[in-house]
Amino acid sequence: MDWNGNLRPFVSRPETSFSFLYNYNQYPGIEMKHDPVEVPAYHAVVPAMEKNSYGNQMEKKKRLATNQLESLENSFQEEIKLNPERKMKLARELGLQPRQVATWFQNRRARWKAKQLEHLYDALKKEFEDVSREKQKLQEEVLSLKVMLSEQVAKKPIYAGYAKISSEETVESTSERSNKARGTGHHQIGESSYVFNVDDYGKVMPPYWLGVMPSYP
Amino acid sequence: MDWNGNLRPFVSRPETSFSFLYNYNQYPGIEMKHDPVEVPAYHAVVPAMEKNSYGNQMEKKKRLATNQLESLENSFQEEIKLNPERKMKLARELGLQPRQVATWFQNRRARWKAKQLEHLYDALKKEFEDVSREKQKLQEEVLSLKVMLSEQVAKKPIYAGYAKISSEETVESTSERSNKARGTGHHQIGESSYVFNVDDYGKVMPPYWLGVMPSYP
DNA sequence: TTTTGGCATGTAATCAGGTTA
DNA sequence: ATAACCTGATTACATGCCAAA
């Protein structure tokens, strides 16, 4: 009820504002919290004209009832879009204005899309981690191969030149330059414009932001 | 803003309704149209309690005026959070209910956060692509090193054993399953739990979904 | 301990501009 | 041309958590 809720003393707790960790909850499926009470087809019949306007108690009804939400959700799962027939049918069954059904679907699609981004992010994050690990492995492999090769070469002076070069550029993790090793040599991809950290031993670490996503600075 | 959309001529909007019927945006008050126009301190003084309830004129003003939005935005840029003083000050200056200012800031933070996720996604995507490229390069390097090594070995039978093994586990890109690969030497290629595509030559491709993100069918 | 206000997050409804049948 | 829809962005309200009073 607060309305211009300002006449209150205030103290707020300004600083340290950025510290809450975000939670994570739902998944693609259905979600709900507390039920706004059962609601049969009641409003449907009522033109819904006068009530409200404060002071009355009869309405406060934002929030659709759980049974209505369930039906809408089920319907949404079947088909993300709404055709006129379905809309009217749902409206009739649930006692809602067709307009409300349409609105619900629009909002639901928007939520779905936002959620989609989250999932995409998680999936990408996983991919990234996998590839990073693989890259790590490959670096190690390259290193050991070069060692072997140079050992080989040590016995066959003919390839000394190669061995030298390779050991030189191996250690640094910013792989790349691989083609140089192959002989063609160019591709100065410049200094890796990317962010992730690599320690002195060539270990690849995921970017710092992979762990903490939300929560603003 | 209410449940049964009663601000609307009962006909609701679905079919057979003329859109011009619900044009209830204009009322003696202010604004509307494109660019809500200047808005002086007007609502601020009004307790804003009983209006509405139909057939009235003093509705609600959705959409803040551009000048109000500008101020709010500027304020937001300075500080993402709102302390009581700032809230009151803005409310006074802009002719808004303090509650509106608080609400605006909350919504604004939510939008900011969503945007943040988008940026994070883009950044991660870029990282991923970079790492994939590097992995690609490393695979090529490993390949060429092995070739060189085996050529070497061809002259020195002693190392034949290694050459064989290595060529076996190199080509396929699904390097990982580390423990299995380590020693037991057998990874079932098929199961790679991650998505990205690798053609028969070990070329790494970004996942299919990197290109098209939003927009559903 | 209980109360209380701010905040993050979820919802419902509205609006503006663009599509499509 | 236009009604019905959509997406995207908004505004406001609802809920639940948390920390300070």
Side-chain angles (χ1 to χ4, degrees), chain A residues 41-87:
Chain A
Y42 168 53
H43 299 284
V45 197
V46 183
M49 293 317 263
E50 27 34 30
K51 62 266 255 55
N52 154 8
S53 167
Y54 266 112
N56 72 2
Q57 70 305 27
M58 194 35 189
E59 282 313 340
K60 186 174 230 113
K61 211 89 152 302
K62 240 55 186 75
R63 248 62 181 182
L64 303 180
T66 39
N67 56 324
Q68 297 175 317
L69 290 177
E70 269 171 38
S71 298
L72 289 169
E73 185 61 37
N74 289 336
S75 189
F76 179 84
Q77 293 300 328
E78 287 176 28
E79 254 292 328
I80 201 174
K81 292 252 176 144
L82 195 60
N83 59 2
E85 300 78 55
R86 222 149 59 97
K87 181 170 72 176

Side-chain angles (χ1 to χ4, degrees), chain B residues 11 22 24 38 56 63-64 72 76 95 99 113 116 126 139 142 152 162 188 200 210 215:
Chain B
V11 207
Y22 46 70
Y24 51 91
E38 263 323 280
N56 66 359
R63 257 53 177 191
L64 303 180
L72 289 168
F76 180 83
R99 178 72 224 265
K113 187 176 174 182
Q116 211 59 16
K126 186 175 179 319
Q139 286 180 325
V142 165
Q152 275 297 82
Y162 174 82
Q188 293 269 73
D200 296 338
L210 275 185
S215 177

Side-chain angles (χ1 to χ4, degrees), chain A residues 8 31 33 64 100 104 107 111 216:
Chain A
R8 313 156 169 306
E31 41 167 88
K33 5 199 117 167
L64 303 180
Q100 284 179 290
W104 188 89
N107 288 323
R111 272 171 249 146
Y216 22 64

